[in-house]
Amino acid sequence: MTRVAMIGLGQMGAPMAVNAINAGLDVAVFDVSPDATSAFSDLNARIALSPADAARAADIVCIVVFNDEQTIEVIVGTDGVLTTLRPGAVIAIHSTIAPETVESLERVARNEGVQVIDAGISGGPTGANAGTLLTMVGGPEDAVISAMPALNSFSKEVI
């Protein structure tokens, strides 16, 4: 079973996590807001205490946070996913951030044996709730293939 860490449970991330759970994936969730994670206590998800905790056993980490700074903190911060993520795992960055930030994070992750894909999403909260997002992915083909169980759980199309 594919193990997914979903980090960022706002208008997009929360329904994406619900769709991943409904697709039968093993999902851990994290958000800086306890209110956002508490909504998952009745769902079949593990509520993590930090990004690192969420990523501990993940095959793919989906990051849906607000900006470059938050994305950097979630990936390489003190409690970031790279502190626990196993080599061979994939980080999918769904946040809208600068290409230079994605490239920089990809280099750091690659040194840890982790792959990064830029996985922009389109469709807004309506598409996230319906599981019909359009996900536009850039990155190594093998990483994209590895991420497909998660991406397909909330996307109508992955290109």
Side-chain angles (χ1 to χ4, degrees), residues 79-121:
D79 250 348
V81 300
L82 283 182
T83 64
T84 59
L85 196 57
R86 65 170 178 74
V90 176
I91 298 171
I93 301 175
H94 302 290
S95 304
T96 302
I97 61 173
E100 298 81 17
T101 302
V102 175
E103 292 166 357
S104 173
L105 291 169
E106 186 279 328
R107 286 190 297 275
V108 173
R110 186 176 354 118
N111 288 336
E112 301 297 323
V114 173
Q115 293 183 298
V116 171
I117 59 175
D118 186 2
I121 49 179

Side-chain angles (χ1 to χ4, degrees), residues 128-152:
N129 281 300
T132 59
L133 293 173
L134 170 62
T135 303
M136 299 151 286
V137 183
E141 184 176 358
D142 59 330
V144 175
I145 291 168
S146 294
M148 288 305 285
L151 301 178
N152 282 330

Side-chain angles (χ1 to χ4, degrees), residues 13-46:
M16 290 165 65
V18 169
N19 283 314
I21 293 164
N22 290 341
L25 303 177
D26 182 2
V27 178
V29 296
F30 174 78
D31 193 278
V32 294
S33 167
D35 289 341
T37 56
S38 68
F40 287 84
S41 61
D42 292 334
L43 300 175
N44 191 22
R46 182 174 66 84

